[in-house]
């Protein structure tokens, strides 16, 4: 009978365990446990250290508890064990041992806090990160370069981010590269890191900031040194002029006479500063702050009705609405802006 109950229980537990374990399969685009910079490695080492201290404490406490429960459990006819009162040595030991463990936790913690306080060497690549509802403006002051939502940084070089906000409080967080920093209007917070592996990493606004907080993503692209140089050179060039007679050229004309120009900058075409700079929008891999792939279908839906794709998006539906042909032309133009 017992064996049937055990098998029945196992049949309930196995699928549940399998379901829970399926979360361990990855990929983990926003895991803090896959560090890709000096900052992230420092916090990862600290986390691992504290984890093992906690595991050791757990093991000792639970072992003592289980041993006590078994050894002194109630048995028929046995007298109750004699309680201990006032044991100086024991009391000193259980005061000193946790204090010593806390020292081993506190010293590396404080050291890591100072090491990751945002101070970068003077030759660091400086980037101003400005949070907006719901996208990220990225300015490279030394390069006179402006882009949005996709932060490019070179491998192995110190990067200094100066983080602020244009409206409400946001928080910059690219887990593989380092900790969170609040983006507060009228105040600048610093974060510094040195990326140590080329790659394309996800990030996320980490402070509730309104309807599309969850849709305020970002990407950090760690380029090789030469790759970063190439990217910066391309970004600094003026926008490509569409070839005469193409649909992209017609798109440029539609763009230039529509409401787009009130909010977006395309160098030499429109000076708007409310929305993301579109001078090289065709070179980005995503649109809408990392929400959708940058392809013609998503661009067209975005231009037609952005708030339908991203609740609260400040980019309103155009009145009167653009025709499908006009939208297709603008899409072709934006895709040509590599
Ligand atoms: Cu911006 Cu949450």
């Amino acid at each position: 009978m017992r064996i049937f109950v055990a098998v029945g229980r196992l049949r309930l537990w196995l699928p549940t365990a399998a379901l829970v374990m399926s979360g361990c399969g990855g990929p983990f685009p926003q895991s803090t446990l896959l560090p890709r910079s000096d900052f992230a490695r420092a916090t990862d080492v600290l986390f691992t250290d504290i984890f093992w201290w906690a595991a050791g404490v757990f093991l000792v406490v639970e072992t003592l508890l289980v041993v006590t429960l078994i050894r002194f459990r109630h048995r028929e006819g046995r007298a109750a064990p004699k309680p201990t009162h006032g044991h100086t040595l024991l009391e000193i030991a259980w005061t000193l041992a946790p204090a010593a463990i806390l020292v081993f936790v506190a010293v590396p913690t404080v050291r890591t806090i100072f090491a990751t306080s945002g101070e970068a060497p003077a030759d660091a690549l400086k980037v101003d990160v400005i949070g907006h509802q719901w996208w990220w403006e990225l300015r490279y002051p030394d390069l006179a370069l402006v882009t949005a939502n996709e932060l490019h940084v070179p491998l192995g070089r110190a990067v200094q981010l100066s983080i602020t906000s244009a409206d409400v409080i946001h928080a910059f967080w690219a887990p593989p590269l380092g900790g969170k920093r609040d983006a507060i209007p009228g105040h600048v917070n610093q974060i510094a890191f040195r990326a140590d592996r080329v790659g394309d990493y996800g990030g996320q606004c980490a402070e509730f900031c309104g309807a599309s907080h969850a849709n305020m993503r970002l990407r950090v692209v760690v380029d090789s040194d030469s790759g970063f140089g190439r990217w910066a050179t391309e970004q600094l060039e003026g926008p490509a002029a569409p070839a005469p007679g193409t649909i992209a050229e017609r798109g440029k004309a539609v763009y230039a006479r529509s409401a787009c120009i009130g909010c977006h900058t395309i160098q030499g075409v429109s000076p708007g500063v409310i929305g993301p700079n579109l001078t090289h929008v065709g070179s980005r891999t995503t649109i809408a702050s990392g929400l959708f792939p940058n392809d013609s279908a998503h661009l067209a839906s975005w231009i037609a009705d952005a708030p339908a794709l991203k609740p609260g998006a400040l980019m309103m539906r155009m009145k009167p609405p653009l025709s499908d042909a006009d939208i297709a032309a603008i899409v072709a133009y934006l895709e040509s802006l590599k």
Side-chain angles (χ1 to χ4, degrees), residues 132 134 169-171 205-209 213 216:
H132 294 258
W134 289 274
I169 300 177
H170 305 272
C205 176
E207 181 75 53
F208 181 69
C209 56
H213 157 66
M216 188 171 168

Side-chain angles (χ1 to χ4, degrees), residues 92 156 161 256:
I92 290 174
L161 305 185

